[in-house]
Amino acid sequence: MKNKPNIKVIIYSLIAFGFLALTFFVDWIFIIGAVVMMYLNQRELMKR
């Protein structure tokens, strides 16, 4: 049985990658946003 991709997890991951890019190109403080998105992603994955 194939599992369908979780759209929320994909969106959270893309936003986290965006925050990581901002961390490298703008300022290190954006890492906080990436950590928050990782936390939300993990919570969404552990829901089942």
Side-chain angles (χ1 to χ4, degrees), residues 3 8 10 19 30 32 35-36 38 47-48:
N3 290 337
K8 264 189 182 177
I10 294 172
F19 275 123
F30 283 106
I32 295 170
V35 170
V36 169
M38 282 172 31
K47 214 180 255 189
R48 297 167 201 242

Side-chain angles (χ1 to χ4, degrees), residues 16-29:
F17 280 130
F19 275 123
L20 279 178
L22 286 172
T23 298
F24 283 111
F25 296 120
V26 181
D27 197 11
W28 63 271
I29 200 76

Side-chain angles (χ1 to χ4, degrees), residues 4-21:
K4 63 181 176 109
N6 191 341
I7 299 299
K8 264 189 182 177
V9 171
I10 294 172
I11 299 294
Y12 288 162
S13 298
L14 290 175
I15 294 172
F17 280 130
F19 275 123
L20 279 178

